[in-house]
Amino acid sequence: MRRQQAEQRLAALRTELHEHAHRYYVLDAPIISDAEYDRLFRELLDLEAQFPELVTSDSPSQRVGGEPLPAFAEAAHALPMLSLDNIFAAEELADFEERVRRRMQSSVQLTWTAEPKIDGLAVELIYENGLFVEGSTRGNGLVGENITANLRTVRNIPLRLHGAEVPERLAVRGEVYLSKKDFAELNRQRAEQGEPLFANPRNAAAGSLRQLDPKITAARPLSFFVYGVADPAALPCSSLTELFPHLRSLGFPVNPLIKFCRSLAEAEEHYHHLQQIRHELDYEIDGMVIKAASFAAQEELGSTARAPRWAVAWKFPAEEAEAVMSGVEFQLGRTGAVTPVAVLEPVRIGGVVVRRAALHNQDEIRRKGLMIGDTVLVRRAGDVIPEVLRPLTERRTGQEQAIVFPTECPACNNALHRPEGEAVTRCRNPHCPAQRLQRIIWFAGKSGLDIEGLGPKNVEKLAEAGLIADIPDIFRLDKERLAALDGWGEKSAEKLLAAVEQAKQTTLAKLLAALGIRHVGETTAELLAARFVDINKLMQAGEEQLLAVDGIGGQTAAALREYFADPANRELIARLLELGLTVQAAEKTASGGPLAGMVFLFTGTLASMSRAEAEERVRQLGGATASSISKKVTHLVAGEKAGSKLKKAAELGIAALNELEFLRLLETAAPDKK
């Protein structure tokens, strides 16, 4: 392809990919499949690899993160990013309204916006002629940190504005945040690795955006909501009522819970509505921001040195409180992990009485310096388990006691063990009754087969009644015995049994995740299901076969081998199948095919696809993959930051391909699958 043709095609691809990304991440209304998007993206990467001089800053390929930065440069704000004054009660809202009306001299009609106050990190994004050129933090309001490279990785921040007419320069402001689900998963991973936990999603988002290596930021699923512009005169809008739809048309994500109000009484109603639904949202909000909608009114009201006079933040009641930690209990999880839980003197936080709070692990207790008898600061956020943040050491009396970890399992009295290099202490008795109960709860829960009506409380109730002692008992539940339970009845029994029957049709990935094998979560289960034909082949897989799956490391492979080597676990799976559990097999690897006889080894990072996807493409075309360098390997595919395998391959005379050459090989082998 000639340079001019490539330039035209690249422009068309970028426009199309930007449109599809906007529909997917902002509008939540995709019109093409993921596979088709991936095909277009690979074509873009292919052309950019052929013509690197044509790579532009707004290309979708630039979202993956660049080279690590030595430090953040300063970024001055043309107009200050001011803070907001806070109020905490309806009476203070009335005072705010009185101040506004007293200062207003014109006859401008006052209307308002009521916006959820996202608990994230405020940022400013600069666009020149429709292209994203600079992004920064608030900093001190006048000067922030230039985090452009990291902000490029946030999927729903447009790199190029939509529409034919865009301003020459536009500075938008908004909030970058991390969802509750992703925050919990991030902290779970950090706890397992013995790393300090993030205190809340806001800290996690801020920490992610301040990474000197943009690839770390890119790996964390951050999101963005726009809440305004630095200079309203840059756009053809006279009020926020017009601004938000206009920003949405340019490609910015606008929070759907923003409400336009004719009076502050309406705004107050929306405040109570947001307070009621806040825990149903997948992101943290800590209040509501009220703004005068008219830009003329905003200009007339002006600002103090710290905050605008035309806006105020109405904060929700605090979800942190002080409590006395009277003791510590030790609970067992499905993998034998012993988790310390703080026993608190009852305290009301956010309208809920809290008596227990998470302590995570022994290292976290030591890092925070907690003692029994401490007055501690406790945080509660929605359905997330309350957490002890820190001790208030100034309240100590000298009567506090050290927290002593047990040496024996509190459920079965077996000796506890803490593997070297791990943060978690475990009971290694697979027949421990507490572990068995937790495995049932996990199997039936949302991370497992997601059986409606079989949540933790019902599982515990059925176990106490003698109806469930192990996982297979779920599929032996009897209608009459269920209906006879206190508080149940025939309809409840029928509903649960229908959900159990529906759960019998499952996939290999779901079953693997449901079994509660250590180190095997949903993502790992998907990788294993994509590689192995059925559960029996996976049970028979050796260590080398497991390690050949991208994303499966030594710990996970060892955990799988240990689990399937246990006759009790193999018997469990056999009993489930006998009871009617039907497992959808993974697609079979192609036999023969254009890559038959070839063995591929991957090193470094591929830009166009994950390593798991690349290996699957090879297997579909009849080839094989390897996890380590040997004479059996026929092709080494080297991505970005390829390691020592590249040198070793050269020594062994193994053909080395870059990513572009590998993609061309795939295209030649399967021209109908671009």
Side-chain angles (χ1 to χ4, degrees):
M1 182 181 289
R2 294 180 180 178
R3 189 183 190 281
Q4 185 177 3
Q5 291 175 305
E7 194 167 6
Q8 292 173 347
R9 180 56 182 156
L10 281 169
L13 281 169
R14 287 169 189 145
T15 298
E16 190 173 356
L17 287 168
H18 280 308
E19 174 64 24
H20 291 310
H22 174 66
R23 285 181 171 275
Y24 185 89
Y25 291 106
V26 180
L27 303 180
D28 194 24
I31 58 174
I32 64 171
S33 67
D34 291 350
E36 177 62 13
Y37 181 91
D38 292 342
R39 187 192 69 77
L40 294 170
F41 191 73
R42 285 197 296 272
E43 184 181 354
L44 175 82
L45 292 173
D46 195 344
L47 281 175
E48 287 185 344
Q50 292 181 60
F51 301 93
E53 71 278 9
L54 297 181
V55 177
T56 59
S57 62
D58 69 316
S59 173
S61 66
Q62 300 307 295
R63 286 200 188 273
V64 295
E67 291 301 309
L69 305 171
F72 294 121
E74 290 187 346
H77 305 301
L79 293 170
M81 289 186 72
L82 300 176
S83 300
L84 291 171
D85 288 330
N86 295 326
I87 63 172
F88 298 91
E91 294 79 10
E92 294 177 86
L93 180 63
D95 293 341
F96 166 72
E97 183 174 20
E98 184 182 346
R99 290 195 303 272
V100 167
R101 294 195 180 280
R102 194 169 56 238
R103 186 170 287 273
M104 287 289 294
Q105 300 296 320
S106 70
S107 59
V108 174
Q109 179 67 37
L110 278 176
T111 56
W112 309 88
T113 62
E115 310 167 22
K117 186 176 181 295
I118 308 296
D119 196 12
L121 185 73
V123 298
E124 181 175 69
L125 311 175
I126 306 296
Y127 291 81
E128 292 181 354
N129 297 314
L131 296 181
F132 176 46
V133 296
E134 184 179 291
S136 59
T137 61
R138 181 201 299 274
N140 62 10
L142 299 175
V143 178
E145 296 169 308
N146 187 322
I147 55 170
T148 307
N150 290 346
L151 286 168
R152 286 187 190 281
T153 71
V154 180
R155 293 288 179 177
N156 65 347
I157 288 179
L159 300 180
R160 178 199 297 174
L161 300 184
H162 286 238
E165 296 183 12
V166 295
E168 185 176 337
R169 181 179 172 84
L170 178 66
V172 303
R173 290 167 177 179
E175 206 84 10
V176 173
Y177 65 94
L178 191 68
S179 75
K180 292 176 184 176
K181 179 181 178 182
D182 292 322
F183 167 70
E185 175 61 19
L186 181 60
N187 261 357
R188 186 195 66 77
Q189 293 173 1
R190 294 176 73 86
E192 281 203 352
Q193 294 162 6
E195 297 177 357
L197 305 184
F198 287 116
N200 51 55
R202 184 191 182 282
N203 284 9
S208 299
L209 279 179
R210 289 195 173 99
Q211 294 290 331
L212 293 176
D213 186 350
K215 287 188 175 63
I216 297 177
T217 308
R220 296 179 182 174
L222 298 170
S223 296
F224 172 78
F225 277 131
V226 65
Y227 61 63
V229 295
D231 181 12
L235 293 172
C237 303
S238 62
S239 69
L240 291 170
T241 313
E242 297 174 355
L243 177 67
F244 284 122
H246 189 76
L247 289 174
R248 188 182 286 112
S249 73
L250 291 175
F252 293 105
V254 177
N255 193 295
L257 293 174
I258 294 175
K259 183 177 177 63
F260 299 102
C261 306
R262 289 169 294 181
S263 67
L264 286 180
E266 284 188 21
E268 183 176 349
E269 289 179 8
H270 196 52
Y271 170 84
H272 293 300
H273 172 66
L274 291 177
Q275 190 175 15
Q276 187 176 6
I277 68 169
R278 63 182 298 196
H279 297 317
E280 300 171 16
L281 303 176
D282 193 34
Y283 49 85
E284 293 278 9
I285 61 174
D286 58 359
M288 185 180 80
V289 177
I290 300 170
K291 301 175 184 174
S294 165
F295 293 141
Q298 291 182 9
E299 187 174 358
E300 184 175 348
L301 289 166
S303 305
T304 66
R306 177 186 171 279
R309 294 190 180 95
W310 43 266
V312 70
W314 191 353
K315 301 294 286 292
F316 290 142
E319 294 219 313
E320 293 180 0
E322 297 176 10
V324 174
M325 186 171 71
S326 57
V328 175
E329 294 179 349
F330 296 91
Q331 298 181 349
L332 262 78
R334 72 186 194 283
T335 62
V338 179
T339 303
V341 177
V343 179
L344 307 173
E345 293 185 2
V347 59
R348 183 171 289 275
I349 308 177
V352 176
V353 176
V354 173
R355 294 181 171 85
R356 299 283 189 276
L359 294 173
H360 299 294
N361 58 50
Q362 195 169 1
D363 289 345
E364 193 73 3
I365 290 173
R366 188 180 297 112
R367 187 180 68 80
K368 291 176 178 176
L370 293 164
M371 300 182 74
I372 294 174
D374 268 337
T375 298
V376 296
L377 189 65
V378 183
R379 182 176 190 271
R380 174 185 174 271
D383 295 329
V384 179
I385 298 171
E387 176 186 17
V388 173
L389 297 179
R390 60 183 175 85
L392 303 177
T393 53
E394 65 274 14
R395 304 279 188 88
R396 283 181 174 165
T397 63
Q399 301 301 310
E400 294 77 18
Q401 300 175 357
I403 298 171
V404 180
F405 246 69
T407 57
E408 294 182 349
C409 173
C412 68
N413 298 323
N414 271 37
L416 296 177
H417 176 67
R418 181 177 176 180
E420 187 176 349
E422 293 190 17
V424 179
T425 301
R426 298 181 186 277
C427 168
R428 295 193 291 184
N429 174 16
H431 308 294
C432 172
Q435 289 184 56
R436 186 182 295 120
L437 179 64
Q438 291 302 319
R439 284 196 291 268
I440 298 171
I441 291 172
W442 180 269
F443 186 89
K446 291 189 180 299
S447 297
L449 297 194
D450 195 12
I451 303 174
E452 186 177 354
L454 209 53
K457 289 184 179 178
N458 274 350
V459 170
E460 290 172 3
K461 190 171 184 177
L462 295 178
E464 288 173 7
L467 299 186
I468 290 183
D470 207 345
I471 289 171
D473 291 338
I474 293 173
F475 301 101
R476 297 193 187 99
L477 288 171
D478 178 74
K479 178 181 173 181
E480 290 184 4
R481 296 185 68 187
L482 283 172
L485 291 175
D486 184 35
W488 279 61
E490 191 170 318
K491 286 188 177 180
S492 297
E494 288 176 351
K495 188 175 179 180
L496 176 57
L497 290 176
V500 169
E501 190 65 28
Q502 185 178 358
K504 285 183 178 180
Q505 305 296 320
T506 190
T507 64
L508 179 58
K510 275 193 173 183
L511 175 59
L512 291 174
L515 289 173
I517 305 169
R518 194 176 170 206
H519 301 304
V520 179
E522 293 178 32
T523 302
T524 302
E526 291 284 357
L527 293 173
L528 291 166
R531 178 65 182 268
F532 294 93
V533 176
D534 58 32
I535 186 67
N536 292 311
K537 291 202 172 183
L538 176 59
M539 287 195 292
Q540 295 165 8
E543 183 179 7
E544 187 175 344
Q545 290 173 287
L546 293 169
L547 290 174
V549 181
D550 183 48
I552 304 299
Q555 280 188 328
T556 305
L560 285 162
R561 294 293 302 135
E562 182 180 354
Y563 183 87
F564 290 126
D566 188 333
N569 292 330
R570 298 174 74 91
E571 183 186 348
L572 165 67
I573 294 168
R575 285 159 64 198
L576 289 174
L577 297 176
E578 288 171 4
L579 288 167
L581 192 73
T582 303
V583 183
Q584 177 183 328
E587 291 183 9
K588 294 184 178 181
T589 302
S591 58
L595 299 186
M598 300 182 187
V599 179
F600 290 78
L601 175 66
F602 295 85
T603 182
T605 304
L606 301 180
S608 59
M609 64 184 81
S610 69
R611 190 178 295 183
E613 290 170 327
E615 291 183 335
E616 183 60 21
R617 293 284 299 278
V618 167
R619 288 191 292 271
Q620 288 173 351
L621 295 171
T625 60
S627 60
S628 59
I629 196 76
S630 71
K631 291 182 178 179
K632 293 181 180 179
V633 174
T634 59
H635 294 77
L636 180 80
V637 180
E640 187 180 352
K641 294 185 178 178
S644 58
K645 293 175 184 175
L646 194 58
K647 181 180 178 181
K648 183 68 174 177
E651 293 174 356
L652 295 175
I654 296 170
L657 307 176
N658 60 31
E659 183 170 0
L660 179 57
E661 291 168 332
F662 173 64
L663 291 174
R664 285 174 175 165
L665 177 61
L666 293 180
E667 186 174 353
T668 302
D672 58 324
K673 293 183 180 181
K674 192 166 182 178

